[in-house]
Amino acid sequence: MDSKKPKASKTKGVSNKKKPAVSSKKKSSTKISSDKKVKTSKSKKPVSAKKAVPVKKKDETFELSGVSDIRRSFHKNEEPLYFISATNFNLLGADEWIKGFKFICHIECFDGLHPNVFSPKTEIPHDDFEGIEDINNYLLQHPEVQDYLKTRSVDGRAGKAMFLMFNEKTEELAKKLGLEIMFPKAEMRTFLDNKVNTNRIAEKAGVACVPYVLTKVDNYEHLREVSKHLGNELVIQTPFGDSGHTTFFISNEEEYQKNAEEIEKEEEVKVMKRIRCRGSAIEACVTRHGTIVAPLMTELVGFKELTPYEGGWCGNEIYPNAFTPELREKAIEYTQLFGNQLREEGYKGYFELDFLIDQDNGEIYLGELNPRVTGASSITNHAVFALADAPLFVFHILEWMDIDYELDIEAINNRWARQENIDGWSQLIIKHTEDTIEYVTKAPSSGIYRMYDTGHIQFDRMDTHRRAVENENEAFFLRISRKGDYLYEGADMGILVSRGRMMTDDFRLNNRAKHWIKAIRGQYASEMVEDKKKPKLSGTLTK
């Protein structure tokens, strides 16, 4: 990765407003050490997961024993289960694994053709959306959604729901509707999502971070004083932000002054040494039996063809031999250590870690934590390793079901770490990159597209996720911006997923990627709008 484009987050709220961190004094589960020293693990082998198996009486057996029982249980599921979000992108295909699993979405990506997506047909009055949380709260208050939940209730139970993003208001609305949220409390998620707190958890877990200092910054002179041991090239991150919006690269006072107001208003920021790095991501799930870890994948960051943000996440790749065995083992080890520490903090379920790989010394460092499903989840949950056992989201949901089960975490992690169990996939997050407001007059349908030797593409067939892609001449496109929508700088247009790679070995977009990006953009038509104000909603809807 180019040194001017260090790895930045893909998973923060779409609003750039600061969110209050949860006080670490409220609960013992969120007490974090203030020691700033970075600890690293000496172990050369992946950490064995501790088995916190539920206590059973001698004459009792587990209701589910192993992966095959778990799969069978979900195919027979009677509990209403939902993913509620702006789109169904993050958990594409979940309905094929779990009976009764439905998506409730604000954006209808499939024009009514997806059998398990429900989207309100009418729009009710609402305040401007500033984040995905606002969209979800709108959905929970929509009469059509409320009626839909009632028609699917079982014995008076509304069921359980997953959200990409939610807040305390979401929790109140869900409780009123009788919905159980299948994630730890919003208070805990907000605390963990804070970049400053993430580093402190990493310290406790023994996971290495890029050399850094956590501090209040008063002015440029103060910044140089507190960070003099980090060198002249710095990266500053505020506690919350989205896809590069609040990651600042500072090498002189002029660069600092451009962002001084945002930096100085924070009570504490993370100041890091700037390294020449490659971004990577790994997803995992904290269970009662230990932490299940998926393979490490590469990230696409800051490509101007895809995103207007220099440090913005814009895709992923997963393929065999993407990393050396040593890097893969270290990433798995760190992820298990971090997951086990999250369990100590009181967290359970799905999470993702961003890792930074130093191109100068080969070291791997923790970048960020995302305590949720993410934009990388679609890649994780449809690769061969997941299909051979069960997707990671299945184990997440299992933790929130009232079912006793046993599971050999070590065996799963060993299988998932084998390179022969990984096939090659890429996804591109295509945004509107111009600083304009445009009205969409034509938009492509979601489904499978075929590219011809001429570089032109054609809609081939309707499908609901990427597994239907047969070769590298095909790709699945999930449309987000529809006819009648407005495009603004950073607006998501859609996601393109294909077999094979979209980057070269030196981590630049390859020709195939450029052809696909140009071809998909060519499927859109829009008109410039002069008097339309930019929406308050900014950043990505896909995380």
Side-chain angles (χ1 to χ4, degrees), residues 168-363:
E168 285 81 359
K169 183 176 180 180
T170 319
E171 291 173 331
E172 293 173 7
L173 293 169
K175 184 177 180 180
K176 186 176 179 180
L177 295 173
L179 274 178
E180 178 187 346
I181 296 179
M182 293 185 285
F183 262 111
K185 294 289 186 182
E187 180 185 50
M188 170 170 278
R189 295 218 319 177
T190 300
F191 176 84
L192 296 175
D193 205 25
N194 183 316
K195 296 182 184 71
V196 170
N197 293 336
T198 297
N199 273 49
R200 288 177 172 145
I201 294 173
E203 293 168 2
K204 294 174 68 175
V207 175
C209 300
V210 176
Y212 71 96
V213 61
L214 307 179
T215 181
K216 165 76 174 169
V217 175
D218 297 326
N219 50 51
Y220 182 71
E221 291 72 22
H222 181 231
L223 170 66
R224 283 304 178 192
E225 176 62 27
V226 297
S227 65
K228 56 187 175 184
H229 61 293
L230 300 176
N232 293 326
E233 301 286 324
L234 302 173
V235 179
I236 299 178
Q237 288 186 320
T238 57
F240 299 99
D242 173 61
S243 261
H245 283 230
T246 54
T247 297
F248 309 112
F249 311 123
I250 308 296
S251 57
N252 54 54
E253 185 169 6
E254 181 181 358
E255 291 174 346
Y256 174 84
Q257 293 301 337
K258 289 179 182 177
N259 306 290
E261 184 177 354
E262 270 194 271
I263 294 169
E264 292 171 12
K265 73 180 181 182
E266 300 290 347
E267 291 300 318
E268 196 172 32
V269 298
K270 179 166 67 173
V271 182
M272 297 178 289
K273 175 183 178 180
R274 187 191 291 191
I275 63 173
R276 193 172 65 89
C277 63
R278 273 171 51 195
S280 61
I282 196 166
E283 296 195 307
C285 183
V286 177
T287 77
R288 68 196 69 174
H289 300 294
T291 302
I292 303 174
V293 183
L296 191 65
M297 67 185 85
T298 66
E299 289 197 319
L300 285 73
V301 177
F303 290 116
K304 65 181 184 303
E305 296 90 342
L306 295 168
T307 177
Y309 309 122
E310 181 182 358
W313 165 77
C314 51
N316 297 89
E317 290 183 324
I318 187 169
Y319 60 96
N321 303 317
F323 305 93
T324 66
E326 293 76 18
L327 278 174
R328 286 189 284 106
E329 289 175 9
K330 181 59 71 173
I332 291 171
E333 175 188 353
Y334 279 167
T335 305
Q336 287 180 321
L337 285 168
F338 202 96
N340 292 342
Q341 184 60 44
L342 284 177
R343 190 172 63 194
E344 292 296 317
E345 304 294 328
Y347 185 87
K348 67 177 180 178
Y350 212 107
F351 72 98
E352 183 261 358
L353 298 177
D354 293 342
F355 283 108
L356 305 176
I357 301 169
D358 194 321
Q359 297 299 279
D360 294 323
N361 60 20
E363 292 295 324

Side-chain angles (χ1 to χ4, degrees), residues 88 92-93 95 103 108 110-118 462 464:
N88 68 328
L92 282 171
D95 52 319
F103 301 98
E108 174 49 272
F110 294 94
D111 301 316
L113 297 176
H114 194 302
N116 293 312
V117 169
F118 177 84
M462 162 62 186
T464 58

Side-chain angles (χ1 to χ4, degrees), residues 81-214:
L81 300 175
Y82 302 95
F83 178 61
I84 303 175
S85 195
T87 76
N88 68 328
F89 165 64
N90 306 84
L91 288 184
L92 282 171
D95 52 319
E96 297 171 10
W97 286 85
I98 304 172
K99 179 186 174 187
F101 191 99
K102 303 290 183 181
F103 301 98
I104 298 177
C105 304
H106 176 58
I107 299 172
E108 174 49 272
C109 301
F110 294 94
D111 301 316
L113 297 176
H114 194 302
N116 293 312
V117 169
F118 177 84
S119 184
K121 290 182 170 56
T122 59
E123 185 168 352
I124 61 174
H126 61 84
D127 294 333
D128 289 343
F129 296 141
E130 295 187 23
I132 296 177
E133 297 92 335
D134 292 342
I135 293 174
N136 290 335
N137 294 340
Y138 165 82
L139 287 171
L140 292 180
Q141 294 175 91
H142 200 294
E144 291 180 40
V145 172
Q146 295 174 353
D147 289 343
Y148 182 67
L149 294 173
K150 289 176 183 176
T151 62
R152 298 194 69 248
S153 64
V154 176
D155 297 330
R157 302 192 315 275
K160 305 173 188 285
M162 291 176 67
F163 295 87
L164 181 62
M165 303 293 293
F166 64 90
N167 54 24
E168 285 81 359
K169 183 176 180 180
T170 319
E171 291 173 331
E172 293 173 7
L173 293 169
K175 184 177 180 180
K176 186 176 179 180
L177 295 173
L179 274 178
E180 178 187 346
I181 296 179
M182 293 185 285
F183 262 111
K185 294 289 186 182
E187 180 185 50
M188 170 170 278
R189 295 218 319 177
T190 300
F191 176 84
L192 296 175
D193 205 25
N194 183 316
K195 296 182 184 71
V196 170
N197 293 336
T198 297
N199 273 49
R200 288 177 172 145
I201 294 173
E203 293 168 2
K204 294 174 68 175
V207 175
C209 300
V210 176
Y212 71 96
V213 61
L214 307 179

Side-chain angles (χ1 to χ4, degrees), residues 442-475:
K442 185 185 77 168
S445 299
S446 295
I448 307 297
Y449 287 77
R450 174 171 288 276
M451 177 172 282
Y452 295 95
D453 292 341
T454 60
H456 293 274
I457 62 172
Q458 185 177 39
F459 182 81
D460 191 74
R461 60 196 184 275
M462 162 62 186
D463 210 289
T464 58
H465 67 82
R466 72 178 206 198
R467 290 305 306 179
V469 174
E470 294 183 351
N471 54 59
E472 293 189 14
N473 291 327
E474 293 185 345

